[in-house]
């Protein structure tokens, strides 16, 4: 497709600032008004589907030349582009491909000076998914500056959930919400207040949905009250995001609301609550997930089964065992059977041997398995320690390198980092994440997940006794610091998939 061709031949060339300067040098020394008008005309009314392979290549070269001409002309070209936007809007015409490409040119010409114009176009009547390559690259360039003037551009991106960005070097297709996550991660923690404000000021449902999800992932506590209100009183996509967010926050006050939501007759709504209870990490929720295995909606059944496989209570394992033989969809039953078999293998038991044991003994056998995930956060006897001062130095090195692997602090693992950190360091970790995510690829995601795990536990330590999976989520005492995460040794078993 033309947009794929242009994403490599045009965007790869022109969206880098150093090559923008080169474009100016290569363009004609004097560009007439007619020349600029012609360059704009080349970019108008592009319909990639209408081009043959040969014509796509020729058109890409035309557009390449037009971009160079406009960028070289600078401010006069920017004014002509904005005048063209006005003409399109006045005529109630649709030319989204032009608008997105022209915004990319505006960015190269004026950078932050053109951010208001770009934000106005993106937030208007334009489908960003028409060529999301333009949108994502520009948004990442703006976000990495962490300049407050970029915020309107980043906010304008949030209305879109259809755009996809193909990372050619890693053969990776980014889709929502990962596209928005990369952008807002790159901006760092300074963007969180702006997102929190959108919960109450924005009328766009996808915008509020993402804001709730991202604020929870960053453990931004000032937004919790607004997110609770949306989860209880809102509707549509914003409410869905808010329900999921409450699960990620994992606050003791939200347990009753989340498990009650599992009774919803709406399968989509019940699914959101099932997702939230999984993230909440309270073993009491397992009993409330079991009835969902009998629901008609396959997606809801799968989410419930995933939750039960994670919680690993005796009742959850027995429910999965029954489901493995009674499931209406054979594939679902097979997955449940494999999950139960994996758990039995980890305990070195057959089903009959396991079933014959009293409930208390079953629970003792399952406890190490379900808490194995938390083991990586517990310091071991004789462990090397990381001081807080060393953590600060390590963070500077990680930000400089754009990765938390290798280097002077290669020895640092999750448990060392968590032990050296306090809730006051959440922003520090988000700043590290901002640099890590600039390596837009699948290979940066494991590091991202490590940081997320630390941020979640640091955030939760402000208000709950046990930050991870536990028998019952309870509030932390105001007079005592949050306890360190403790977990018995165990064997990690496969998820239900």
């Amino acid at each position: 497709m033309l947009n794929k061709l242009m994403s490599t031949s045009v965007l790869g060339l022109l969206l880098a600032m150093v090559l923008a300067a080169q474009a100016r040098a290569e363009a004609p020394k004097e560009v007439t008004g007619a020349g600029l008008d012609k360059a704009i005309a080349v970019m108008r009314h592009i319909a990639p589907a209408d081009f043959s392979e040969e014509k796509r290549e020729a058109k890409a070269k035309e557009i390449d030349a037009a971009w160079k001409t406009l960028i070289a002309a600078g401010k006069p070209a920017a004014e002509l582009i904005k005048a063209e936007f006005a003409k399109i809007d006045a005529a109630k015409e649709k030319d989204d491909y032009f608008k997105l490409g022209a915004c990319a040119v505006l960015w190269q010409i004026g950078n932050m000076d053109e951010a208001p114009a770009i934000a106005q176009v993106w937030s208007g009547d334009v489908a960003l998914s028409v060529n999301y390559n333009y949108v994502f690259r520009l948004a990442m360039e703006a976000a990495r500056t962490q300049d407050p003037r970029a915020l309107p551009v980043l906010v304008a991106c949030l209305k879109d959930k259809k755009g996809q960005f193909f990372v050619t070097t890693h053969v990776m297709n980014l889709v929502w919400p990962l596209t928005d996550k990369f952008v807002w991660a790159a901006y760092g923690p300074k963007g969180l207040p702006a997102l929190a404000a959108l919960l109450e000021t924005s009328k766009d449902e996808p915008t509020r949905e993402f804001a709730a999800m991202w604020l929870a992932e960053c453990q931004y506590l000032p937004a919790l009250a607004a997110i609770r209100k949306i989860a209880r009183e809102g509707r549509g996509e914003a409410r869905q995001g808010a329900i999921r967010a409450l699960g990620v926050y994992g606050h003791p006050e939200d347990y009753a609301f989340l498990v009650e939501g599992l009774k919803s007759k709406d399968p989509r709504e019940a699914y959101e609550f099932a997702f939230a209870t999984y993230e909440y990490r309270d073993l009491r929720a397992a009993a409330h997930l079991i009835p969902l295995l009998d629901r008609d909606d396959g997606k809801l059944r799968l989410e419930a089964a995933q939750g039960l496989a994670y919680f690993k209570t005796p009742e959850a394992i027995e429910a999965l065992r029954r489901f493995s033989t009674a499931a209406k969809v054979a594939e679902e039953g097979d997955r449940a059977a494999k999950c139960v078999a994996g758990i039995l293998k980890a305990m070195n038991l057959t089903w009959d041997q396991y079933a014959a044991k009293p409930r208390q003994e079953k629970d003792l056998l399952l406890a190490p398995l379900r808490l194995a995930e938390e083991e990586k956060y517990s310091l071991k006897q004789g462990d090397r320690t990381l001081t807080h001062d060393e953590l600060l130095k390590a963070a500077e090195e990680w930000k400089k390198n754009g990765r938390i692997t290798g280097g002077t602090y290669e020895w640092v693992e999750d448990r060392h980092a968590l032990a050296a950190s306090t809730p006051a360091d959440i922003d520090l970790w988000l700043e590290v994440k901002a640099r890590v995510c600039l390596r837009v690829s699948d290979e940066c995601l494991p590091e991202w997940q490590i940081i997320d795990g630390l941020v979640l536990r640091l955030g939760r330590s402000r208000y709950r006794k046990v930050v991870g999976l536990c028998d019952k989520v309870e509030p932390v005492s105001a007079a005592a610091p949050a306890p360190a995460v403790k977990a018995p040794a165990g064997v990690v078993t496969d998820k239900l998939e």
Side-chain angles (χ1 to χ4, degrees):
M1 290 181 63
L2 180 61
N3 66 344
K4 184 175 180 181
L5 178 71
M6 291 167 60
S7 72
T8 55
S9 67
V10 178
L11 283 172
L13 174 66
L14 297 174
L15 282 182
M17 293 300 292
V18 64
L19 293 183
Q22 179 183 331
R24 294 187 183 92
E26 293 176 355
K29 296 300 181 181
E30 294 184 8
V31 182
T32 65
L36 296 179
D37 289 337
K38 181 179 179 182
I40 289 175
V42 166
M43 297 168 60
R44 290 296 311 274
H45 307 297
I46 296 173
D50 295 341
F51 288 86
S52 65
E53 186 70 32
E54 184 178 345
K55 288 183 177 179
R56 281 201 296 269
E57 187 172 347
K59 187 64 177 178
K61 290 179 180 178
E62 277 190 275
I63 296 171
D64 191 353
W67 279 37
K68 287 180 178 179
T69 296
L70 292 167
I71 292 171
K75 191 170 180 62
E79 296 306 314
L80 280 176
I81 288 171
K82 286 182 277 190
E84 195 72 14
F85 290 156
K87 290 178 186 178
I88 293 171
D89 292 340
K92 296 182 178 179
E93 185 183 352
K94 287 289 288 182
D95 196 349
D96 292 352
Y97 212 101
F98 167 76
K99 284 186 174 182
L100 298 180
C103 281
V105 173
L106 281 181
W107 176 257
Q108 291 304 311
I109 291 173
N111 203 265
M112 286 299 170
D113 291 340
E114 297 296 346
I118 293 168
Q120 183 177 8
V121 172
W122 283 6
S123 60
D125 182 24
V126 59
L128 303 184
S129 59
V130 166
N131 194 335
Y132 198 74
N133 286 323
Y134 291 141
V135 175
F136 184 79
R137 288 179 182 273
L138 194 163
M140 283 297 292
E141 284 287 333
R144 70 183 299 160
T145 68
Q146 299 186 359
D147 187 323
R149 293 175 295 170
L151 283 171
V153 173
L154 309 191
V155 170
C157 292
L158 296 178
K159 71 177 188 178
D160 178 82
K161 294 173 67 174
K162 296 180 180 179
Q164 300 184 28
F165 180 77
F166 187 69
V167 185
T168 54
T169 54
H170 291 264
V171 195
M172 175 187 180
N173 203 36
L174 294 184
V175 298
W176 187 91
L178 199 52
T179 45
D180 284 339
K181 285 187 175 185
F182 266 104
V183 169
W184 283 88
Y187 192 85
K190 293 179 182 178
L192 299 180
L195 277 179
L198 290 172
L199 294 173
E200 300 187 35
T201 61
S202 176
K203 296 180 180 179
D204 182 69
E205 290 295 300
T207 293
R208 297 169 77 215
E209 177 184 21
F210 177 81
M213 292 163 54
W214 186 247
L215 289 163
E217 189 168 317
C218 297
Q219 286 292 311
Y220 188 69
L221 204 51
L224 181 55
I227 290 172
R228 280 178 174 152
K229 183 176 181 181
I230 296 171
R232 288 164 170 77
E233 303 173 13
R235 58 186 179 183
E237 294 162 300
R239 183 169 186 252
Q240 292 167 11
I243 291 168
R244 292 195 292 271
L246 290 183
V248 175
Y249 276 112
H251 197 285
E253 294 178 11
D254 295 312
Y255 174 78
F257 170 73
L258 293 177
V259 295
E260 182 66 23
L262 295 172
K263 299 177 184 178
S264 173
K265 300 300 182 183
D266 180 348
R268 177 56 192 267
E269 184 175 281
Y271 170 85
E272 301 299 346
F273 280 104
F275 176 94
T277 54
Y278 174 94
E279 295 292 336
Y280 191 83
R281 307 298 202 247
D282 188 318
L283 290 178
R284 294 175 296 166
H288 300 275
L289 288 174
I290 291 172
L292 300 184
L293 295 176
D294 295 325
R295 296 287 292 271
D296 292 333
D297 187 82
K299 186 177 180 182
L300 175 56
R301 290 194 303 270
L302 177 60
E303 188 64 24
Q306 291 278 20
L308 293 171
Y310 174 72
F311 288 134
K312 296 183 183 67
T313 63
E315 293 76 18
I317 302 308
E318 288 158 15
L320 288 172
R321 166 80 172 185
R322 291 193 301 271
F323 185 65
S324 70
T325 58
K328 296 177 182 179
V329 179
E331 185 180 352
E332 295 179 16
D334 290 343
R335 284 197 295 263
K338 289 178 181 178
C339 175
V340 173
I343 292 170
L344 291 171
K345 183 177 180 181
M347 296 186 293
N348 197 27
L349 294 172
T350 66
W351 175 258
D352 290 340
Q353 290 171 329
Y354 169 80
K357 297 182 182 297
R359 200 261 179 207
Q360 184 176 7
E361 188 175 348
K362 290 176 182 176
D363 197 50
L364 288 173
L365 288 166
L366 291 167
L369 305 184
R370 61 175 173 251
L371 291 176
E373 178 185 335
E374 301 298 329
E375 188 177 334
K376 64 183 178 183
Y377 296 107
S378 299
L379 286 174
K380 301 176 181 179
Q381 188 173 3
D383 252 347
R384 182 177 177 180
T385 59
L386 180 73
T387 68
H388 192 264
D389 284 344
E390 288 175 324
L391 172 68
L392 298 179
K393 293 176 182 177
E396 290 304 311
E397 180 178 301
W398 294 331
K399 285 190 284 185
K400 180 181 178 181
N401 296 338
R403 61 179 66 247
I404 60 173
T405 56
T408 308
Y409 299 92
E410 185 175 13
W411 61 272
V412 174
E413 298 185 19
D414 304 60
R415 64 186 187 277
H416 307 112
L418 184 61
S421 303
T422 72
D425 295 311
I426 289 175
D427 280 3
L428 176 68
W429 282 108
L430 295 177
E431 288 165 3
V432 173
K433 182 175 172 179
R435 306 308 298 176
V436 168
C437 81
L438 295 181
R439 293 154 40 214
V440 181
S441 66
D442 54 348
E443 59 97 14
C444 80
L445 294 181
E447 295 170 52
W448 182 325
Q449 291 166 357
I450 289 171
I451 295 171
D452 282 350
L454 297 171
V455 168
L456 181 139
R457 283 159 178 79
L458 292 171
R460 287 183 171 187
S461 71
R462 295 170 293 184
Y463 45 79
R464 59 187 268 180
K465 284 183 179 179
V466 181
V467 296
L469 185 63
C470 59
D471 293 334
K472 180 182 179 181
V473 169
E474 294 178 313
V476 66
S477 170
V485 177
K486 298 291 182 182
V491 181
V492 179
T493 59
D494 291 336
K495 291 184 178 179
L496 181 71
E497 56 187 10

